[in-house]
Amino acid sequence: MRRSRTVAITGAVALATSALAGTTAAAATHTATTQVGAAASTRYVVLADRAADADTLAEALRGAGGQVSSVNRAIGMVAVESTSSVFLARARALPGVQVAGRDGVVGRSPDAAKVKVAVLKEHHSSLRTSAGASAAGARSAQSAAATKGPSDPLDSLLWGMDMIKAPAAHAKQLGDKRVRVGVMDTGVDGTHPDLAANFDRTLSRNFTKDMPVIDGPCEVASCVDPADVDDDGHGTHVAGTMAAAMNGMGVSGVAPDVGIVNVRAGQDSGYFFLAPTANALTYSGDVGIDVVNMSFYVDPWLYNCRGGAPEDTPEQAAEQDLIIETMTRALNYAHRKGVTLVAALGNDHDDVSHPRTDVSSPDFPVGTEHSRTIDDASCLDLPVEGPHVIGVSALGPSARKADYSNHAGNLRSGELEVSAPGGWYRDGLGTDSYLTNENLILSTAPRNVMVAEGQVDANGDVTPLGESLGTMKACTSRPAPGASACGYYQYLQGTSMASPHAAGVAALAVSAHGKVMGGSGFGLAPDRVRRLLMDTATNHACPTPALQSYVDVGRTAEFDALCVGSRAFNGFYGDGIVNALGVVR
């Protein structure tokens, strides 16, 4: 079974490539604790003091009985395994060690698969085929027809593109081919005919290794998927929203002429581990990626707290300290190297400035969760609350905050910068668009995932199940080199879908205003991109009344959200709805 909706971030999985700048890699085992001969091997992550030499530390860890999996010199991180029960104590006692902890799952990518299952259950009595056009789709078609920019056949269903004024922006700017967007996710289907033309095979990397215990059987003997594979679907959907090619078929992305780089950090199951995630971030900086989208959040700790929450054990607190320090270093490094960082705000229908009691963490392994008191001053929702990250909330077709989307109750806390279309199945109460697929976000999907989920059959035809979920198929007689002739498209919702809209707008900003920056090539400073995104965003006032209730669409009072702030900046919309036309003017 695949998980595809939250994120994991703490693991010492070996790198899937030997070409990572500043990093060496060796083979890693499949689980945090695995069997090596007769002894169990446990994985750890060790972070060096800032002034320490990572290679020297790696040698010391080998001397302490560890088998080094990877060394990230950019941030001083060493991933290591050992069969010794006292290895962690030895590692922590070594000179030059700042923090060390046992490796384990700490998050998942936002679960698009769960959303799809929930949607199917919600409207089983009124299933609609993809041929049915909702009110949202009709509005989108009318808006697209009024613009002068080029488009693709299914773009009339992309109401989100109309909301962010992408069609009008495309009349001025389709993106610069020197600009690259990084998809830090579960992978990208580089053979999809709507992605292949923009997919950068040379730079794309997979930093993960399949773990049968959570990912199922390995698809290849090495358990290392090629860098053009996505066995989950989440990353391919994100990639299409950002940069699907404008090629006369399917859909087009926000920035349809920019390059797509797969910097995969997520497992097939949707889990992310710390070492691959940190390595993907530093790699993105080293190879000159302009914008990285991070549609995931850290789990099993819904919030990582410095020193742990009061109810956590000392070892649990140490794990969270390790995650916070490592992610902070990696995010800072990527920012210094010119990467604009964009992340989903999260789907917990929570006020991230005043979080509820956490009753779900740690949610891996199952049965270990306990109630945790969350102090916003010391607890972080990563990566969105990490340094230099642009946080994005999710909206439905009506521009209302989607019921699932997090929001910010403290405008000075820095979690939320902008808002963007994320889809909302329950939007449009009282209209024909209520409870329809077209309220969600349509984007690219891998054929293998659609087949595995029963949405496409072995012959490549959309099944009745796929039709009920709005799955579509488009073919071309002239596919790009390396591409399949036919591509598939699926509807999903979440802040995972909002974030790539914003990342695509960021890529247009770099395209329109970037310049050759000495030896580092074409680009635009991340702080300038951030200002452009926020300064041009379309202001949107809080609803009236400011307390938004979702009880009328079947949600409990727990989903109620209070919007604070002004039309210029508030806790639902941040600085406003991202504006593609605004950044290219």
Side-chain angles (χ1 to χ4, degrees):
M1 296 294 292
R2 283 198 284 294
R3 284 189 186 84
S4 73
R5 165 77 205 129
T6 24
V7 160
I9 287 187
T10 225
V13 179
L15 301 183
T17 174
S18 60
L20 177 65
T23 306
T24 59
T29 52
H30 290 176
T31 59
T33 301
T34 57
Q35 204 73 18
V36 178
S41 178
T42 302
R43 300 184 316 184
Y44 305 91
V45 174
V46 183
L47 206 59
D49 287 337
R50 292 187 181 274
D53 184 308
D55 288 312
T56 300
L57 176 58
E59 285 302 316
L61 290 167
R62 290 186 183 100
Q67 178 182 348
V68 172
S69 299
S70 67
V71 179
N72 188 317
R73 301 179 186 91
I75 59 172
M77 182 186 70
V78 182
V80 61
E81 303 172 30
S82 178
T83 59
S84 172
S85 61
V86 297
F87 174 79
L88 184 56
R90 290 175 180 170
R92 287 171 173 166
L94 289 173
V97 172
Q98 178 165 329
V99 61
R102 181 179 298 215
D103 184 23
V105 175
V106 296
R108 303 186 305 266
S109 66
D111 201 342
K114 291 182 182 177
V115 170
K116 288 191 293 182
V117 172
V119 167
L120 179 60
K121 289 180 179 178
E122 278 187 323
H123 71 303
H124 67 277
S125 62
S126 58
L127 296 179
R128 307 174 74 249
T129 69
S130 60
S134 69
R139 289 195 303 270
S140 180
Q142 293 168 1
S143 176
T147 66
K148 296 181 180 179
S151 64
D152 278 339
L154 297 181
D155 285 357
S156 62
L157 298 174
L158 307 186
W159 58 265
M161 296 296 177
D162 297 328
M163 181 180 288
I164 67 171
K165 304 178 183 179
H170 291 164
K172 298 176 177 289
Q173 176 66 255
L174 295 175
D176 191 303
K177 292 190 180 299
R178 294 172 292 180
V179 175
R180 304 182 184 100
V181 293
V183 184
M184 188 175 298
D185 215 291
T186 60
V188 175
D189 177 9
T191 68
H192 194 291
D194 240 349
L195 302 178
N198 291 338
F199 187 72
D200 192 325
R201 296 180 182 277
T202 301
L203 291 183
S204 289
R205 297 287 186 273
N206 175 13
F207 295 94
T208 71
K209 188 170 186 176
D210 285 353
M211 303 177 182
V213 69
I214 59 172
D215 297 322
C218 296
E219 292 83 5
V220 295
S222 67
C223 290
V224 178
D225 293 333
D228 63 350
V229 168
D230 180 8
D231 288 323
D232 180 282
H234 193 269
T236 297
H237 195 280
V238 163
T241 296
M242 286 196 288
M246 192 169 286
N247 56 2
M249 70 166 292
V251 301
S252 53
V254 179
D257 272 2
V258 305
I260 298 169
V261 182
N262 178 20
V263 283
R264 177 177 168 179
Q267 304 294 134
D268 288 349
S269 56
Y271 284 109
F272 286 60
F273 291 87
L274 183 58
T277 303
N279 286 329
L281 279 167
T282 58
Y283 174 81
S284 297
D286 288 336
V287 300
I289 294 176
D290 296 282
V291 181
V292 166
N293 183 78
M294 299 179 289
S295 286
F296 60 82
Y297 61 91
V298 176
D299 235 0
W301 306 106
L302 189 58
Y303 290 88
N304 285 274
C305 302
R306 296 184 182 90
E311 300 84 358
D312 297 335
T313 68
E315 198 56 49
Q316 290 171 338
E319 180 182 276
Q320 293 167 69
D321 288 340
L322 173 65
I323 295 166
I324 291 171
E325 179 63 21
T326 304
M327 286 298 293
T328 298
R329 290 190 189 185
L331 292 167
N332 279 330
Y333 182 86
H335 177 264
R336 288 196 304 271
K337 288 285 190 171
V339 182
T340 296
L341 302 161
V342 184
L345 192 64
N347 296 350
D348 298 303
H349 60 277
D350 201 1
D351 176 355
V352 292
S353 306
H354 307 95
R356 297 187 296 267
T357 298
D358 176 14
V359 297
S360 64
S361 301
D363 60 7
F364 186 92
V366 176
T368 60
E369 65 275 3
H370 56 268
S371 293
R372 306 172 68 230
T373 303
I374 304 302
D375 178 6
D376 188 55
S378 60
C379 299
L380 298 173
D381 180 1
L382 291 169
V384 71
E385 290 190 83
H388 312 296
V389 178
I390 298 169
V392 187
S393 62
L395 310 175
S398 67
R400 289 176 65 193
K401 183 188 81 68
D403 54 6
Y404 57 79
S405 179
N406 287 347
H407 64 286
N410 182 349
L411 303 186
R412 291 190 291 271
S413 56
E415 297 98 347
L416 172 64
E417 277 70 35
V418 291
S419 54
W424 182 23
Y425 182 64
R426 300 170 188 244
D427 204 357
L429 179 66
T431 73
D432 290 342
S433 64
Y434 182 57
L435 302 183
T436 58
N437 296 317
E438 291 84 358
N439 278 346
L440 279 61
I441 302 298
L442 182 68
S443 189
T444 44
R447 173 174 173 166
N448 59 307
V449 174
M450 296 293 93
V451 171
E453 293 181 352
Q455 297 193 53
V456 171
D457 64 24
N459 295 323
D461 297 321
V462 178
T463 65
L465 172 63
E467 289 182 347
S468 73
L469 293 171
T471 299
M472 301 182 192
K473 176 182 180 180
C475 300
T476 177
S477 60
R478 293 183 296 176
S484 302
C486 296
Y488 298 87
Y489 305 83
Q490 64 174 329
Y491 282 104
L492 299 177
Q493 70 174 9
T495 53
S496 283
M497 285 65 248
S499 181
H501 280 90
V505 174
L508 286 181
V510 178
S511 299
H513 303 282
K515 58 184 179 180
V516 177
M517 304 169 67
S520 60
F522 185 83
L524 189 64
D527 290 341
R528 176 82 190 285
V529 178
R530 181 191 188 96
R531 287 195 300 272
L532 279 168
L533 226 62
M534 297 180 71
D535 290 348
T536 63
T538 303
N539 289 339
H540 198 294
C542 285
T544 302
L547 181 62
Q548 181 72 68
S549 173
Y550 300 94
V551 173
D552 58 348
V553 293
R555 296 301 196 186
T556 66
E558 183 182 270
F559 283 77
D560 291 356
L562 178 65
C563 185
V564 298
S566 65
R567 180 180 178 84
F569 194 99
N570 59 65
F572 279 14
Y573 300 91
D575 226 329
I577 304 171
V578 291
N579 183 344
L581 179 60
V583 302
V584 303
R585 281 175 171 163

